[in-house]
Amino acid sequence: MVPTSDKWPDEPDEPDPEARWGDPETDLVSIPSVEAPEPPDPGDPGAGVELDAEVARFFWVSVVAANVAVGGIGIGLLLVGFRGQWTTGGVAVGIGLLALYRTYDIYRRYRAEVDGDAADATVDADAEPTTADTDATVDADAADATVNTDAADATADADAADATADADATVDANDG
């Protein structure tokens, strides 16, 4: 028969590990409730941002192209570096570089369109050029022609001097 009492009556009671923290349901700090602000009414002015459809198209196409570029270049370099798959990795890097160029091209076309719109807004398309603008263009063209003529004369003079020096050297060599 097994005795019903403990074998070691002098053994201390085991400590309760949760007694250190007390009763968490009553001892915790109460968190105050906060009312969330109401979303703006879509009918209010300034509630949403109006975006031109063409600007949104430029944005999303450039985002997709940039993601393809980053993914292609990254995965391609990983394939080449860790697996030694030069063909697959090279194709992935090539696709990534093409997508990166496409992203740049989209941005460049967008900037040209924005700058073109700004220029169209500031310049009156119906205005006739003035005589001062025409005279300045003619003077600039004449100055370019003069510079080009002077450069051609200098080149011809240098060639003639080289030919004279070569002829003198030949004569001196034959005399000696």
Side-chain angles (χ1 to χ4, degrees):
M1 288 215 162
V2 177
T4 59
S5 66
D6 290 300
K7 281 181 148 183
W8 305 98
D10 296 330
E11 184 176 337
D13 291 335
E14 291 184 18
D16 183 15
E18 295 179 4
R20 292 187 279 182
W21 295 295
D23 185 19
E25 291 182 14
T26 58
D27 294 341
L28 286 179
V29 178
S30 64
I31 300 172
S33 64
V34 178
E35 291 184 27
E38 300 222 4
D41 185 26
D44 291 341
V49 176
E50 295 294 324
L51 189 61
D52 184 24
E54 192 166 348
V55 172
R57 186 184 65 80
F58 274 116
F59 173 76
W60 285 113
V61 169
S62 64
V63 165
V64 170
N67 285 334
V68 169
V70 169
I73 293 171
I75 289 173
L77 291 176
L78 289 172
L79 286 173
V80 170
F82 290 113
R83 290 192 160 181
Q85 295 178 346
W86 286 90
T87 305
T88 308
V91 168
V93 168
I95 289 171
L97 290 174
L98 286 174
L100 186 65
Y101 174 75
R102 180 72 176 133
T103 304
Y104 170 72
D105 186 50
I106 291 167
Y107 172 74
R108 190 175 42 134
R109 283 191 301 134
Y110 173 74
R111 292 304 301 171
E113 182 177 305
V114 168
D115 292 343
D117 288 345
D120 290 343
T122 58
V123 175
D124 186 13
D126 296 333
E128 293 292 324
T130 62
T131 55
D133 292 339
T134 308
D135 293 341
T137 304
V138 171
D139 291 342
D141 291 341
D144 288 343
T146 304
V147 170
N148 290 338
T149 305
D150 292 342
D153 291 342
T155 304
D157 291 342
D159 290 341
D162 287 342
T164 305
D166 288 342
D168 289 342
T170 306
V171 171
D172 291 341
N174 290 337
D175 288 341

